[in-house]
């Protein structure tokens, strides 16, 4: 079973800001699962002028939604049409293709911007993390660009970035891409897996461990809505994508 959910953090509710997190799941074929979460950068962009710096607000939920939906659609199509067993090397190759395609997708979004405003648009609309998993009968792998959480059978691995994530869209501002793939982590003994999750950094390890119980998508969203109303929970936005063995 696959499911995903998002919630607006308390700080964003008080400021009446949009949720900057995105989550999606897909199952392109029997026994294949995809989960993706994205977290748009909330920092304002400062552009230094000749007299004083100009500050622009963040609208990076745009990039989180666009890049997240692109990534899940790309993987859904690629894995649905795969004619060979999806061994670890095959999945790694698909993720490398996704990395290249995602950069190309972002390039096309900015292709007609003048150089003077392109950097500003990237910094205010396209900066987002991307954390995901692919589960096949042969393997299970996490992939990511930026911070968040990985969970395998209740074992929680935080992805730290010192609050300076290496956003994929940064590569639009470089002469040539610095990376050819996401960071990857293959799960040992995937045949014994019971559940997987990826989450944005608004979650805590304690909250993520409560996801071991399978919940259909609507029940998961309701549970998350209740959690987000409790004191001390989800000051920041939260997104999660899950797979449970049926």
């Amino acid at each position: 079973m696959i499911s995903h959910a998002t919630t607006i953090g308390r700080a964003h509710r008080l400021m009446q800001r949009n949720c900057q997190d995105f989550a999606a799941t897909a199952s392109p074929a029997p026994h294949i699962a995809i989960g993706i979460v994205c977290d748009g950068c909330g920092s304002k962009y400062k552009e230094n002028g000749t007299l004083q710096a100009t500050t622009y607000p963040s609208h990076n939920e745009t990039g989180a939604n666009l890049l997240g939906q692109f990534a899940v659609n790309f993987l859904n199509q690629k894995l649905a049409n795969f004619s060979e067993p999806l061994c670890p090397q095959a999945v790694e190759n698909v993720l490398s293709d996704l990395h290249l395609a995602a950069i190309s997708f972002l390039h096309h979004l900015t292709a007609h911007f003048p150089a003077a405003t392109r950097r500003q648009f990237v910094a205010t609309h396209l900066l987002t993390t991307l954390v995901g998993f692919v589960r096949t009968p042969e393997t299970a792998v996490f992939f990511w660009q930026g911070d968040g959480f990985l969970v395998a059978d209740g074992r929680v691995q935080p992805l730290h970035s010192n609050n300076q994530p290496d956003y994929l869209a940064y590569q639009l501002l470089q002469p040539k891409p610095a990376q050819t793939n996401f960071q990857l982590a293959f799960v040992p003994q995937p045949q014994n897996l019971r559940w997987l999750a990826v989450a944005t950094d608004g979650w805590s390890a304690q909250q993520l461990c409560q996801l071991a119980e399978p919940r259909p998508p609507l029940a998961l969203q309701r549970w998350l809505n209740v959690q987000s109303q409790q004191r001390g929970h989800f000051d920041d936005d939260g997104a999660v994508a899950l797979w449970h063995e049926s």
Side-chain angles (χ1 to χ4, degrees):
M1 183 175 69
I2 54 173
S3 54
H4 62 272
T6 61
T7 187
I8 302 178
R10 180 176 180 272
H12 284 183
R13 289 199 304 271
L14 292 175
M15 292 186 292
Q16 296 184 325
R17 295 178 62 181
N18 294 333
C19 179
Q20 294 182 315
D21 286 10
F22 168 89
T25 49
S27 181
H31 310 297
I32 298 177
I34 301 162
I36 286 175
V37 296
C38 296
D39 181 1
C41 174
S43 302
K44 295 179 179 179
Y45 172 64
K46 292 184 178 180
E47 189 174 70
N48 293 321
T50 54
L51 297 177
Q52 61 181 9
T54 303
T55 302
Y56 299 92
S58 167
H59 301 288
N60 284 304
E61 67 273 14
T62 305
N65 282 272
L66 287 173
L67 184 60
Q69 195 61 61
F70 173 83
V72 76
N73 288 350
F74 181 94
L75 290 175
N76 199 36
Q77 183 176 8
K78 277 276 189 177
L79 299 178
N81 297 325
F82 219 82
S83 58
E84 300 175 5
L86 284 162
C87 63
Q89 186 59 57
V91 175
E92 183 172 345
N93 291 342
V94 169
L95 292 173
S96 182
D97 291 343
L98 169 62
H99 192 271
L100 182 62
I103 294 173
S104 177
F105 171 69
L106 294 174
H107 268 298
H108 279 87
L109 292 178
T110 62
H112 298 290
F113 277 83
T117 58
R118 188 167 185 261
R119 178 177 292 272
Q120 174 194 324
F121 180 78
V122 169
T124 57
H125 288 79
L126 298 182
L127 297 186
T128 178
T129 64
L130 193 155
V131 185
F133 65 76
V134 173
R135 174 74 170 107
T136 76
E138 293 81 16
T139 191
V141 59
F142 293 109
F143 61 98
W144 68 93
Q145 185 103 23
D147 53 19
F149 288 96
L150 315 176
V151 189
D153 284 346
R155 300 184 300 274
V156 180
Q157 177 61 56
L159 303 173
H160 297 295
S161 65
N162 297 319
N163 209 29
Q164 294 181 320
D166 181 22
Y167 297 117
L168 190 67
Y170 280 155
Q171 300 202 36
L172 304 183
L173 307 176
Q174 299 174 359
K176 59 180 180 179
Q179 296 175 244
T180 58
N181 205 344
F182 299 97
Q183 296 186 73
L184 304 177
F186 285 88
V187 180
Q189 297 181 319
Q191 67 276 11
N192 297 326
L193 270 177
R194 306 296 296 179
W195 65 285
L196 292 171
V198 287
T200 54
D201 64 356
W203 287 76
S204 69
Q206 182 179 6
Q207 291 164 340
L208 289 167
C209 288
Q210 298 178 50
L211 297 172
E213 176 188 345
R215 295 178 177 89
L218 184 57
L220 175 65
Q221 186 63 63
R222 287 173 173 167
W223 176 86
L224 183 55
N225 292 345
V226 172
Q227 293 294 311
S228 65
Q229 298 301 317
Q230 298 183 24
R231 184 180 296 275
H233 288 191
F234 292 104
D235 284 338
D236 193 7
D237 301 335
V240 66
L242 290 151
W243 164 82
H244 286 87
E245 186 179 39
S246 300

